[in-house]
Amino acid sequence: MEMKQGKVFIISAPSGAGKSTLARILLQKYDFFEFSISATTRPPRSYETEGVDYHFLSADIFRQKIMDHAFLEWEEVYPGRFYGTLQAEVDRILAAGRYPVFDVDVEGGLSIKEKYAEQAVSIFIMPPSREILKDRLRKRGTESESDIEKRYKKAEVEIAYASRYDHVVLNDELDHAVSQLMSIVDSHLQKA
Ligand code: ADP
Ligand code: 5GP
């Protein structure tokens, strides 16, 4: 059953801009937030855990879930790499009286915003520059150089979506970005 209550927080950014870092901090600061665990066909990174960071699925099972209409939205974010938000995951979080936090790409973010409308707050995390973005991707050390190039190329397109988000937070100094995010959250909670 679809629950239409509470707030949903959507965080999008080019890969490497720092959205997972910021989402993690937000989730630690507010105990009513719950991370919406997406499904993906990409392999797990060394520090990622099944059912915590993602539901890591085979391409066949992912396709089956598309056919079963299990996704609120899904995208082929990079060629051959599928990512999707499971509707059951969102319903479970809202039914528990908690607020879901989505870490999704720009297309997914706009789909969720459209679906949850006034209930949704969309936030775009902006990297300070393209050079710093590439530097962060390299320093993270989780992708091959060719995957870094794919993510960097996509960043150009993704940054063009920023104006369609409710808020844009510049992630230059981490502490500044965290306080900006917290004031956005607080202002929306007062309205809720
Ligand atoms: P995303 O989830 O957007 O792909 P991450 O949160 O994984 O990005 O961040 C990419 C890398 O940049 C990580 O190694 C992270 O520690 C680092 N990082 C994040 N925010 C900052 C910041 N404000 N200053 C410097 N490094 C940062
Ligand atoms: P990563 O492989 O770095 O974890 O994620 C790559 C991109 O996929 C990021 O932009 C991330 O936000 C996005 N992503 C993660 N989960 C989902 C999802 O469920 N739906 C969509 N559309 N994008 C997602």
Side-chain angles (χ1 to χ4, degrees):
M1 183 189 48
E2 190 182 321
M3 302 291 293
K4 290 254 181 191
Q5 63 188 36
K7 285 270 173 198
V8 313
F9 286 81
I10 302 157
I11 304 184
S12 298
S15 180
K19 81 186 137 355
S20 305
T21 306
L22 288 165
R24 205 173 307 126
I25 295 171
L26 212 57
L27 286 154
Q28 279 163 4
K29 289 195 185 284
Y30 298 90
D31 59 6
F32 48 80
F33 277 149
E34 188 166 341
F35 183 60
S36 163
I37 302 166
S38 293
T40 183
T41 64
R42 85 149 162 75
R45 295 175 183 146
S46 60
Y47 55 83
E48 289 178 327
T49 310
E50 160 60 35
V52 175
D53 299 284
Y54 281 106
H55 298 291
F56 295 100
L57 306 181
S58 68
D60 280 349
I61 293 185
F62 199 99
R63 260 193 296 273
Q64 187 58 52
K65 289 196 183 291
I66 295 174
M67 287 191 294
D68 293 344
H69 305 288
F71 289 113
L72 161 59
E73 60 77 36
W74 63 270
E75 297 288 335
E76 186 175 3
V77 177
Y78 306 107
R81 293 282 189 245
F82 292 83
Y83 295 78
T85 305
L86 294 160
Q87 184 66 58
E89 172 77 359
V90 185
D91 293 345
R92 182 186 62 73
I93 296 171
L94 289 171
R98 296 163 73 82
Y99 294 176
V101 174
F102 299 95
D103 171 346
V104 291
D105 87 321
V106 287
E107 292 284 353
L110 293 180
S111 302
I112 297 171
K113 173 76 193 175
E114 200 176 294
K115 175 137 193 190
Y116 285 92
E118 291 303 302
Q119 210 184 338
V121 182
S122 62
I123 305 167
F124 189 92
I125 308 298
M126 185 69 85
S129 68
R130 279 138 177 94
E131 292 68 36
I132 292 176
L133 181 69
K134 197 177 242 184
D135 196 47
R136 286 186 187 164
L137 273 173
R138 288 223 170 94
K139 284 201 179 123
R140 189 170 69 189
T142 50
E143 270 79 30
S144 65
E145 192 57 31
S146 86
D147 279 348
I148 288 175
E149 278 306 320
K150 278 185 207 150
R151 283 169 184 253
Y152 182 69
K153 277 211 184 94
K154 192 159 187 203
E156 209 65 54
V157 179
E158 290 167 326
I159 286 170
Y161 279 72
S163 61
R164 297 165 70 181
Y165 276 67
D166 297 330
H167 304 276
V168 178
V169 170
L170 178 71
N171 184 20
D172 191 349
E173 286 296 320
L174 191 62
D175 287 353
H176 290 175
V178 169
S179 46
Q180 269 190 67
L181 260 181
M182 288 177 69
S183 63
I184 291 168
V185 170
D186 290 342
S187 74
H188 284 279
L189 292 182
Q190 277 160 18
K191 281 191 234 156

